[in-house]
Amino acid sequence: MILMRKFLIAAAIAASFPVTAKAAPVKTTPTDDLNCAIWAAQVSGNSDDPEVANGFGLVMTWFIGRWEGATGKNFEDGMTPQYISSITPKMDQIGDACLTRMKDFGGRMSAWGNSLQESGH
């Protein structure tokens, strides 16, 4: 439970940082996307807050879509109990990397939304 609280607090903190400069794109693999989908599913499933659970459910879906698009496979082919068990010991590092990616994506979405508003859309 402490691990999940750490992730939830970190997610809230990451979302609150302003975007100051465009960061270099992070090189990721389909495996990174699958790992982040599993991490987000665990955060969502372990949250007592319905908004947090829903938000991380959406994050999970985003990462699943990336994985399926990159591999051409259904998520069930990758999210097996054996695979989940194999990455569980690394979940802290996986979560840190996923939070960084979420922060980057959120910042880009905010900047895009602001540019649309400024252009009258």
Side-chain angles (χ1 to χ4, degrees), residues 1 4-5 8 43-53:
M1 194 54 136
M4 289 305 121
R5 176 170 282 165
L8 298 176
V43 173
S44 178
N46 288 310
S47 176
D48 294 330
D49 183 327
E51 287 185 41
V52 170

Side-chain angles (χ1 to χ4, degrees), residues 1-9 92:
M1 194 54 136
I2 292 172
L3 180 62
M4 289 305 121
R5 176 170 282 165
K6 174 186 169 188
F7 285 139
L8 298 176
I9 291 169
D92 282 342

Side-chain angles (χ1 to χ4, degrees), residues 8-55:
L8 298 176
I9 291 169
I13 291 169
S16 69
F17 287 124
V19 178
T20 55
K22 186 175 180 178
V26 176
K27 299 278 185 184
T28 60
T29 66
T31 299
D32 296 326
D33 292 328
L34 184 63
N35 291 351
C36 285
I38 293 166
W39 167 77
Q42 290 182 351
V43 173
S44 178
N46 288 310
S47 176
D48 294 330
D49 183 327
E51 287 185 41
V52 170
N54 184 54

